[in-house]
Amino acid sequence: MKVYKTEQIRNIALTGNAGSGKTTLAEAMLFEGGVINRRGEVTSKNTVSDYTPIEQEYGNSVLSTLLYTECKGVKINILDTPGMDDLCGGVVSSLNVTDLCLVAVNATNGVESGTVAAVRHTETAELPFMFVFNQLDHDNSNFDAALEQCKASFGNKVTVVQYPVDAGPDFSAIVDVLKMKMYKYGPNGGKPEILDIPDSEKDKAEELHNELVEMAAENEEALMELYFDKGSLSEEEMRKGMKLGMLQRDLLPVFCTCAKKDMGVERLMEFIANNAPNPKERPMRPVVDGKELKMDESDSPSLFVFKTAVESHVGEITYFKVMSGKIKEGLDLINTKSGNKERLSQVFASAGKNREKVEELVAGDLGCTVKLKETKFNQTLATKEADTKYEPIKFPASKHTVAMKAENESDDEKMGEILNRIKYEDPTFVIEYSKELKQLLVHGQGEYHMNVLKWYFDNVHKIDVNYIQPKIPYRETITKPAQSDYRHKKQSGGAGQFGEVHMIIEPYSEGSEPKTAFKIADKEYKMSVRDVQEHKLPWGGKLIFTNCIVGGSIDARFLPAILKGIMEKMEEGPLTGSYARDIRVYVYDGKMHPVDSNEISFKLAGRNAFSKAFKIAGPKILEPICNLEVWVPSDRMGDTMSDLQGRRAMIMGMGSERGMEKISAKVPQKEMYRYATSLSSITGGRGVFNIAFDGYEKVPAEVQDELLKAYEAEQDEE
């Protein structure tokens, strides 16, 4: 395989809703570039891209797949990505190593949830993108309606470069208003006839051509002046303006294809070769220490790993982008995370499972290698002299959590090892063992995402695993001051144990100052505050420990033991055994014994005094509250709102965004289990949401009663 220079490389990602024809489009692009000599079909399970067993069983992309093709001496690297937003890991990682995103739009369905999600991900990655209206031969294909939806959702930057003549079963021609030609295809696609635009289409084509000229001219002053002088621009000048507009995300070109019949694909590739930015024309991936780098093939070699995969009979495959210099077989590089050496024993260009050995890959190119010792996803390999470490890819926060348990306890360790490996292959899985909940939690993007994980356990690893609804990490606190005292006394021959502690506890709120007097049960207590310690708790909130001892009734050396006893009890609140938080404790009196007092005595006295006080201080359960943002079509707004109100949500705001209605709300975490599935059902798969932890709030009285009963029943069982 020939070596391409950086200027001869185009890196593109194919995104869009599931069923928009991305994999079929990729197949046609490989066919047009001569990488394959026969086009496969998703239904026949013989495409280059969806080659893994899970993708063939599911009938859609589950992973991102690296492919390459060629057009006009230019190498086009393609990352074919999954269309379901549950599987957004492959989309996000792909957009971080490519220079242009092609958003495929099913011309029958128009803008779908996957279209909106794809554009949202390009915004985060600050990546230029364009639309490819596909499946124009379908019975209900409606280019004009789909175009209007696109403009409504993404603005008037959406600009027609091509439009179909007779979209539908008789579709066979595309008018290109950049070239001002008509591309006419035979019934089975292939090479088109390039014809003059017929009279019936001339007025429409002229109007769209003029719109395109204006949009292109707006991106550079010199082009604007030329346009005013001549009233038009040449094709070359238009392409220059379009490229600038695309780089600034001010121009979103629309192209037309019927990928299944290979119509419009060659012209799309030609546009990518001529107009898509090469890797040098896009900002370099930032470096951890902030130094400025340029993508230069004459620099020291470095690469960034954007994907790790495991295949049977091959083992671990590491996919990378060459960030600088040239990568050759046998090259030794340093893993900048561990400092250890890695040898690239083989270097490949990848087209799905077909990998072709290459002499070298230069800065900007994408490739893969096998059998690295320790280098994983999101890591950098570079020469020792360069000492470069690229910023890791950041992924969207999790939206769905399950507790996971192996059917057989003997498989627990193996299950943990597999999960540890899987999080490198799909970093949108976050694995944690919650000591508090005593559950292994798997956080992901949705229920479909979890089904994919279970498929691997069932079919690859042959381990039976169960998903359980995760417990909720409640907190406990108090609502009013309370006083208590406790004497710990133990005598059993020899030295005994003695410690007595008197304390008052009260609710703590951020910024509040200690009090100097309390009136509790008609009794007044004066506090002489001598020392205040603020302890941030690992589970959130604070404990304020206030020393008010006067006259030496408790020796200062026993105060840390009292604090330790209180801390131990805060790890197990009396209501539901949850962590306690936001409490101020005043230790104001007590007694010691000259012989029997020791640290254990005061730890137990402090612990029990605190427990007694807590139970009479108006204890209250706190629940985690989440910030929720939901985007839904306007015709599903009412149903979505009703569903949220049934989940005890507090609506914080509403508005319109990208042609969708946006709802902002605060919702208890307890009510959000399986929300992704419910929203999909309500909106026909068109709704999307983001969720993030906000804070803790008191639960309503009826919910607290339910929780107390459930906890009592659990304790009785044990």
Side-chain angles (χ1 to χ4, degrees):
M1 186 174 176
K2 77 182 224 186
V3 176
Y4 296 84
K5 295 184 179 300
T6 306
E7 292 82 356
Q8 297 172 307
I9 294 165
R10 307 287 181 270
N11 295 320
I12 67 167
L14 287 179
T15 67
N17 202 76
S20 56
K22 300 179 297 296
T23 297
T24 306
L25 178 57
E27 196 76 5
M29 291 172 85
L30 266 61
F31 176 75
E32 284 291 345
V35 175
I36 55 175
N37 52 28
R38 186 171 174 273
R39 286 180 289 130
E41 292 185 4
V42 173
T43 50
S44 303
K45 303 181 180 181
N46 60 354
T47 55
V48 177
S49 183
D50 289 355
Y51 65 90
T52 63
I54 186 171
E55 290 173 314
Q56 294 186 349
E57 185 177 316
Y58 279 26
N60 56 262
S61 301
V62 171
L63 311 157
S64 63
T65 304
L66 176 60
L67 314 160
Y68 68 87
T69 188
E70 189 187 60
C71 178
K72 294 185 169 296
V74 168
K75 182 187 183 190
I76 303 174
N77 288 314
I78 304 164
L79 277 158
D80 179 24
T81 69
M84 299 194 72
D85 205 35
D86 270 21
L87 308 174
C88 65
V91 178
V92 173
S93 58
S94 299
L95 297 184
N96 271 269
V97 293
T98 49
D99 306 301
L100 176 68
C101 175
L102 270 59
V103 181
V105 176
N106 182 327
T108 303
N109 301 337
V111 173
E112 301 173 85
S113 62
T115 322
V116 176
V119 172
R120 189 176 73 242
H121 292 311
T122 69
E123 285 170 3
T124 308
E126 298 178 351
L127 190 70
F129 69 100
M130 57 187 281
F131 292 103
V132 180
F133 282 47
N134 193 23
Q135 296 161 327
L136 287 158
D137 61 330
H138 283 201
D139 286 350
N140 299 315
S141 174
N142 189 331
F143 176 82
D144 293 332
L147 180 65
E148 281 312 305
Q149 286 179 29
C150 258
K151 288 191 172 186
S153 299
F154 311 114
N156 287 325
K157 298 184 280 189
V158 178
T159 308
V160 173
V161 179
Q162 295 180 334
Y163 71 88
V165 179
D166 296 328
D170 299 327
F171 168 70
S172 64
I174 296 166
V175 172
D176 190 309
V177 301
L178 171 59
K179 294 231 174 238
M180 285 307 279
K181 291 288 180 185
M182 184 170 85
Y183 289 72
K184 178 80 176 163
Y185 295 88
N188 298 312
K191 291 283 176 200
E193 267 187 280
I194 302 174
L195 307 169
D196 289 334
I197 296 170
D199 292 343
S200 58
E201 296 296 328
K202 263 193 178 151
D203 289 348
K204 183 178 179 180
E206 284 289 349
E207 186 184 332
L208 291 170
H209 175 78
N210 291 336
E211 281 178 23
L212 183 58
V213 170
E214 281 182 34
M215 290 292 283
E218 280 174 8
N219 298 296
E220 192 185 65
E221 218 169 290
L223 287 174
M224 207 60 169
E225 286 174 15
L226 269 174
Y227 175 57
F228 284 136
D229 288 347
K230 300 192 302 182
S232 188
L233 294 176
S234 68
E235 185 188 327
E236 195 61 40
E237 289 159 349
M238 285 172 73
R239 285 207 278 120
K240 182 186 177 187
M242 287 176 71
K243 187 170 190 174
L244 288 168
M246 287 164 68
L247 280 165
Q248 293 155 17
R249 292 171 55 91
D250 288 333
L251 179 69
L252 309 175
V254 171
F255 273 73
C256 295
T257 61
C258 169
K260 194 171 183 181
K261 294 180 181 173
D262 192 13
M263 295 180 181
V265 177
E266 184 187 30
R267 171 72 185 111
L268 173 65
M269 289 168 64
E270 183 186 88
F271 180 81
I272 291 165
N274 288 333
N275 286 65
N278 72 54
K280 280 187 177 177
E281 294 171 313
R282 289 262 305 131
M284 184 74 160
R285 179 153 204 83
V287 178
V288 168
D289 63 10
K291 64 184 175 186
E292 291 279 323
L293 288 179
K294 287 186 178 175
M295 189 159 283
D296 192 335
E297 53 194 80
S298 62
D299 276 358
S300 296
S302 69
L303 60 85
F304 175 72
V305 176
F306 67 88
K307 177 182 167 176
T308 310
V310 176
E311 284 183 21
S312 54
H313 314 304
V314 181
E316 196 167 281
I317 305 165
T318 307
Y319 293 87
F320 58 81
K321 181 174 188 175
V322 185
M323 304 303 287
S324 61
K326 297 174 181 176
I327 300 295
K328 300 182 180 184
E329 198 174 284
L331 181 68
D332 287 332
L333 295 172
I334 303 296
N335 180 312
T336 55
K337 183 181 179 184
S338 67
N340 295 333
K341 187 171 81 172
E342 290 275 25
R343 170 158 289 187
L344 303 180
S345 56
Q346 296 170 300
V347 179
F348 301 98
S350 176
K353 66 180 174 186
N354 306 316
R355 287 172 275 275
E356 187 175 341
K357 271 194 178 189
V358 290
E359 188 184 316
E360 68 178 30
L361 295 174
V362 306
D365 213 342
L366 306 181
C368 65
T369 188
V370 293
K371 297 181 173 61
L372 294 183
K373 288 183 293 188
E374 61 172 23
T375 301
K376 303 286 182 194
F377 167 83
N378 248 349
Q379 294 178 0
T380 302
L381 292 178
T383 56
K384 200 167 188 178
E385 312 84 69
D387 190 30
T388 304
K389 189 175 182 182
Y390 297 102
E391 285 279 2
I393 296 167
K394 293 182 176 69
F395 290 90
S398 308
K399 299 174 189 170
H400 184 68
T401 301
V402 296
M404 195 170 180
K405 194 167 173 39
E407 184 76 43
N408 300 314
E409 277 186 31
S410 58
D411 287 329
D412 277 351
E413 193 177 330
K414 194 176 174 189
M415 181 184 78
E417 287 169 7
I418 292 161
L419 286 171
N420 203 40
R421 226 171 35 235
I422 279 171
K423 72 183 183 187
Y424 287 110
E425 294 175 50
D426 183 350
T428 55
F429 281 120
V430 178
I431 318 297
E432 67 158 322
Y433 179 75
S434 171
K435 180 185 159 194
E436 174 188 0
L437 305 177
K438 299 179 179 63
Q439 288 182 317
L440 179 68
L441 301 178
V442 182
H443 308 278
Q445 295 298 315
E447 211 160 338
Y448 190 88
H449 198 204
M450 295 301 172
N451 291 343
V452 166
L453 179 62
K454 190 153 188 332
W455 187 94
Y456 281 107
F457 274 98
D458 291 345
N459 295 281
V460 178
H461 307 296
K462 311 290 185 190
I463 295 177
D464 287 333
V465 296
N466 296 317
Y467 289 155
I468 308 157
Q469 183 169 350
K471 296 172 188 170
I472 301 297
Y474 292 107
R475 298 286 178 263
E476 296 182 19
T477 194
I478 55 174
T479 58
K480 64 182 183 183
Q483 184 277 338
S484 76
D485 49 75
Y486 189 87
R487 175 182 289 182
H488 174 73
K489 187 177 180 182
K490 191 175 177 187
Q491 200 73 43
S492 56
Q497 292 180 359
F498 183 90
E500 185 175 318
V501 174
H502 296 237
M503 68 171 66
I504 287 175
I505 67 174
E506 68 165 344
Y508 167 75
S509 58
E510 197 64 47
S512 64
E513 294 294 325
K515 292 178 184 168
T516 54
F518 288 93
K519 188 173 182 181
I520 300 170
D522 295 328
K523 189 174 176 184
E524 293 193 355
Y525 298 87
K526 300 284 185 197
M527 296 293 128
S528 178
V529 177
R530 299 168 65 96
D531 178 49
V532 179
Q533 294 177 26
E534 184 179 286
H535 297 275
K536 283 188 177 176
L537 302 169
W539 50 86
K542 289 178 181 176
L543 166 68
I544 310 298
F545 185 74
T546 312
N547 173 10
C548 301
I549 298 290
V550 288
S553 58
I554 300 177
D555 199 304
R557 66 195 167 99
F558 293 130
L559 289 173
I562 296 170
L563 173 63
K564 191 174 181 185
I566 292 168
M567 279 287 205
E568 279 182 8
K569 199 60 200 163
M570 286 191 78
E571 286 196 34
E572 193 184 335
L575 296 178
T576 59
S578 305
Y579 293 137
R581 58 178 278 167
D582 299 326
I583 297 170
R584 183 185 275 119
V585 178
Y586 301 82
V587 176
Y588 67 90
D589 201 2
K591 286 181 183 168
M592 297 184 296
H593 186 278
V595 176
D596 294 346
S597 285
N598 53 25
E599 287 187 3
I600 188 72
S601 304
F602 276 99
K603 185 179 101 165
L604 292 168
R607 177 188 169 104
N608 287 301
F610 178 78
S611 184
K612 271 175 72 179
F614 197 106
K615 288 172 184 173
I616 55 173
K620 193 76 178 166
I621 299 170
L622 303 174
E623 65 180 340
I625 302 293
C626 299
N627 281 326
L628 176 71
E629 292 181 319
V630 192
W631 290 266
V632 296
S634 55
D635 61 333
R636 292 288 181 266
M637 184 76 162
D639 293 341
T640 307
M641 292 279 282
S642 298
D643 177 69
L644 285 173
Q645 282 155 4
R647 294 172 186 273
R648 296 194 282 127
M650 184 184 288
I651 306 299
M652 307 303 289
M654 291 181 281
S656 295
E657 204 173 283
R658 307 186 199 99
M660 303 275 269
E661 298 302 314
K662 180 184 175 183
I663 306 166
S664 301
K666 289 189 183 295
V667 196
Q669 183 184 320
K670 178 180 186 289
E671 308 296 340
M672 291 305 291
Y673 184 60
R674 300 191 69 187
Y675 181 65
T677 310
S678 297
L679 183 66
S680 181
S681 173
I682 291 165
T683 63
R686 292 179 291 163
V688 290
F689 73 99
N690 287 331
I691 190 166
F693 172 74
D694 178 53
Y696 276 88
E697 290 179 14
K698 291 169 189 166
V699 301
E702 65 275 13
V703 177
Q704 177 150 326
D705 290 342
E706 281 173 31
L707 293 170
L708 292 177
K709 283 174 191 165
Y711 184 65
E712 279 170 27
E714 195 180 298
Q715 298 303 102
D716 290 344
E717 277 176 33
E718 288 179 10

